[in-house]
């Protein structure tokens, strides 16, 4: 099952040239870039591990791509995403986030509903690889 989180998640995987173009767009808007990774893509897992420090003063996409390649080398079977943070007063939030690396085998989430006494429904979610 393909995990769909963030921008572009319903599209085929982005090439490095396409990732670079998106990073250049973010940098042109003066957004800080962060690289994060995880092996737990559960939708409620919003806190991924940060690779290095956020790149607030970076002006060249090549620096982000260098960090991305290093993260891919260290964690080839993890999900990796790029976050673009807008520090403009009033926004101060992530404006763009997209997955740039996926493991070869992605997990499948299965939801099981069990009706119990009255109108109560128990919901269980399991992950399968």
């Amino acid at each position: 099952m393909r995990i769909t989180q963030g921008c572009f998640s319903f599209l085929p995987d982005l090439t490095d040239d396409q990732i670079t173009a998106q990073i250049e767009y973010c940098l042109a808007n003066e957004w800080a870039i962060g690289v994060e990774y995880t092996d737990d893509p559960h939708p409620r897992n919003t806190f991924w591990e940060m690779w290095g420090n956020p790149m607030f003063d970076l002006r060249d996409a090549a620096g982000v791509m260098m960090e991305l390649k290093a993260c891919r080398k260290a964690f080839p079977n993890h999900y990796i995403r790029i976050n673009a943070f807008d520090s403009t007063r009033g926004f101060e939030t992530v404006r763009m986030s997209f997955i740039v690396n996926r493991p070869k085998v992605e997990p499948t989430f299965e939801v099981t509903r069990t009706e119990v006494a009255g109108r109560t429904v128990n919901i269980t979610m399991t992950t399968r690889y």
Side-chain angles (χ1 to χ4, degrees), residues 8 14-29 33 61-62 65 96 98:
F8 319 120
L14 299 177
T15 65
D16 282 357
D17 289 338
Q18 292 169 324
I19 293 168
T20 300
Q22 294 304 319
I23 292 169
E24 287 172 351
Y25 171 80
C26 297
L27 295 175
N29 283 289
I33 304 294
M65 292 305 293
M96 181 186 285
F98 55 99

Side-chain angles (χ1 to χ4, degrees), residues 74-117:
F75 300 101
N77 291 313
H78 282 57
Y79 290 89
I80 302 173
R81 71 180 174 197
I82 300 287
N83 291 323
F85 180 81
D86 184 356
S87 62
T88 305
R89 184 171 172 84
F91 283 105
E92 302 167 330
T93 189
V94 173
R95 295 286 292 257
M96 181 186 285
S97 179
F98 55 99
I99 295 175
V100 294
N101 194 74
R102 296 170 181 276
K104 293 186 188 328
V105 177
E106 294 194 64
T108 299
F109 296 103
E110 181 179 294
V111 177
T112 306
R113 293 173 42 114
T114 306
E115 295 183 19
V116 291

Side-chain angles (χ1 to χ4, degrees), residues 31-101:
W31 298 340
I33 304 294
V35 178
E36 296 180 338
Y37 63 94
T38 189
D39 62 351
D40 178 17
H42 188 283
R44 291 187 179 168
N45 177 19
T46 57
F47 298 105
W48 292 23
E49 297 292 325
M50 179 154 278
W51 177 263
N53 293 318
M55 296 170 251
F56 284 99
D57 297 327
L58 196 65
R59 297 291 168 246
D60 186 6
V64 177
M65 292 305 293
M66 181 181 71
E67 291 298 323
L68 173 58
K69 288 176 183 174
C71 187
R72 282 178 174 163
K73 184 176 181 181
F75 300 101
N77 291 313
H78 282 57
Y79 290 89
I80 302 173
R81 71 180 174 197
I82 300 287
N83 291 323
F85 180 81
D86 184 356
S87 62
T88 305
R89 184 171 172 84
F91 283 105
E92 302 167 330
T93 189
V94 173
R95 295 286 292 257
M96 181 186 285
S97 179
F98 55 99
I99 295 175
V100 294
N101 194 74

